[in-house]
Amino acid sequence: GAVVSQHPSRVICKSGTSVKIECRSLDFQATTMFWYRQFPKQSLMLMATSNEGSKATYEQGVEKDKFLINHASLTLSTLTVTSAHPEDSSFYICSARPTGEGYTFGSGTRLTVV
Amino acid sequence: QQQVKQSPQSLIVQKGGISIINCAYENTAFDYFPWYQQFPGKGPALLIAIRPDVSEKKEGRFTISFNKSAKQFSLHIMDSQPGDSATYFCAASIRFGNEKLTFGTGTRLTIIP
């Protein structure tokens, strides 16, 4: 089946620094990728839709300047958490949908801001 | 606005039993209903999905039952095994899954020996 690779799986950063998370579709092209955030014991909350070659679409309440999304190619989308603070600590997951198949999710990135 | 309501929040089932998780939706435009399984520290994995033109879909031990008039769908796990212990999410989308998914709140399933 289709694979979405997400890196890194875990990252710890200091408050005020920026962190980049990569999401790659390994065996298919993805013009659209989705970024989710998940707090412990809660559901997935869609943050933004990443569109190849154009601006991302952010969900209501998500700060565009804090969560920068770049979808530079048909196989790579990146999420950069800028000026991270402890409240940004969470589990971030990306997703893409191969043609004719269901949504495939990455393995997630556990971000801890100290 | 919570468009997909999921219950129960947690469920304990004995090994070999049937696990049943229910979801209800509000948006009648939804036409794609997948179920996902998530283990701790991992991303969700697609288990099974259904479209509203059928009332039931079965894949191995997993069955989706769909009631369009009631706007409800459920996941049945037959012969539940300890390895099935995970969090399960229902979801819904429009345009046969070509639009973003709206997730339920999740059910933590524990299978006891």
Side-chain angles (χ1 to χ4, degrees):
Chain A
V3 176
V4 172
S5 175
Q6 192 170 338
H7 180 81
S9 58
R10 293 174 181 269
V11 59
I12 300 174
C13 70
K14 291 185 177 181
S15 186
T17 62
S18 296
V19 173
K20 181 183 287 188
I21 302 170
E22 292 187 349
C23 180
R24 295 180 184 273
S25 56
L26 294 188
D27 47 5
F28 66 98
Q29 294 182 334
T31 55
T32 302
M33 290 186 177
F34 300 90
W35 287 95
Y36 293 84
R37 183 173 182 175
Q38 186 177 34
F39 290 106
K41 299 184 180 180
Q42 292 191 22
S43 188
L44 287 79
M45 296 302 297
L46 180 65
M47 298 175 64
T49 301
S50 172
N51 303 297
E52 188 270 334
S54 64
K55 291 183 179 180
T57 303
Y58 291 81
E59 295 299 301
Q60 189 174 8
V62 177
E63 298 178 56
K64 301 178 183 181
D65 294 333
K66 167 167 272 302
F67 300 101
L68 299 180
I69 291 174
N70 187 322
H71 196 148
S73 77
L74 288 171
T75 59
L76 173 65
S77 175
T78 60
L79 169 67
T80 301
V81 183
T82 63
S83 186
H85 289 94
E87 57 266 31
D88 298 323
S89 298
S90 189
F91 193 54
Y92 293 87
I93 313 171
C94 66
S95 171
R97 185 167 185 260
T99 302
E101 299 183 29
Y103 286 96
T104 298
F105 286 80
S107 54
T109 297
R110 173 72 61 193
L111 170 64
T112 303
V113 185
V114 298
Chain B
Q1 180 183 4
Q2 178 63 42
Q3 294 191 55
V4 181
K5 296 182 179 180
Q6 184 171 345
S7 63
Q9 187 175 10
S10 62
L11 179 64
I12 299 175
V13 175
Q14 205 148 21
K15 179 182 175 182
I18 303 174
S19 303
I20 302 174
I21 304 170
N22 301 298
C23 282
Y25 62 97
E26 300 169 4
N27 187 351
T28 55
F30 286 145
D31 56 15
Y32 175 72
F33 304 91
W35 283 90
Y36 286 87
Q37 179 189 58
Q38 185 180 30
F39 292 105
K42 301 295 183 183
L46 178 64
L47 269 179
I48 187 172
I50 197 169
R51 294 182 178 182
D53 52 343
V54 297
S55 60
E56 186 175 281
K57 183 176 181 180
K58 182 177 180 179
E59 290 185 1
R61 296 186 294 111
F62 301 95
T63 300
I64 297 180
S65 295
F66 184 81
N67 186 328
K68 187 174 181 178
S69 61
K71 292 187 288 185
Q72 295 176 348
F73 59 109
S74 60
L75 175 69
H76 296 231
I77 305 175
M78 312 300 288
D79 187 28
S80 300
Q81 298 297 312
D84 296 330
S85 296
T87 300
Y88 293 80
F89 293 96
C90 62
S93 177
I94 63 173
R95 294 185 62 228
F96 299 117
N98 288 314
E99 296 292 330
K100 62 185 180 182
L101 291 171
T102 298
F103 281 88
T105 49
T107 296
R108 178 167 290 191
L109 173 65
T110 303
I111 307 301
I112 56 175

